[in-house]
Amino acid sequence: MMDIVASTVMNVQRIYTFMIIGYVLLSWLPNARESFIGVFLGKLVEPYLGIFRKFIPPIGGMLDLSPILAVFALQFVAYGLIAVIGFFIN
């Protein structure tokens, strides 16, 4: 049972991490965020990234490091969630 829960949590975390990476990569292409995929990813990823952008302003106005911290926090939460669920299941 715990293996199913852990793999599900890690798969969701992995998919959301890829969504964050894809959204960041879209910022490198002109007008890519205005496409259907860019708007869709923006609706899913921007609320989460906005939390980190409040604390970490862009460096030099161009370099945004908040997605890196967001991915690390997402991994931390996923592993913590697995540990807490494992504690209650066992």
Side-chain angles (χ1 to χ4, degrees):
M1 174 73 174
M2 185 58 197
D3 293 336
I4 295 170
V5 171
S7 67
T8 302
V9 170
M10 292 310 295
N11 284 335
V12 169
Q13 179 263 333
R14 190 175 300 121
I15 290 169
Y16 201 72
T17 298
F18 285 136
M19 290 170 59
I20 291 171
I21 292 169
Y23 187 69
V24 168
L25 292 177
L26 285 177
S27 70
W28 295 356
L29 303 172
N31 298 326
R33 285 195 178 171
E34 285 78 31
S35 68
F36 172 75
I37 295 173
V39 172
F40 178 71
L41 286 177
K43 287 180 181 178
L44 295 175
V45 171
E46 265 307 319
Y48 179 65
L49 290 178
I51 297 168
F52 297 95
R53 287 188 177 131
K54 290 178 186 175
F55 301 109
I56 304 172
I59 298 174
M62 296 285 294
L63 184 60
D64 188 12
L65 298 178
S66 60
I68 296 170
L69 182 62
V71 168
F72 283 133
L74 186 63
Q75 286 182 331
F76 181 74
V77 168
Y79 286 121
L81 185 62
I82 290 170
V84 168
I85 291 172
F87 178 76
F88 285 115
I89 288 178
N90 292 330

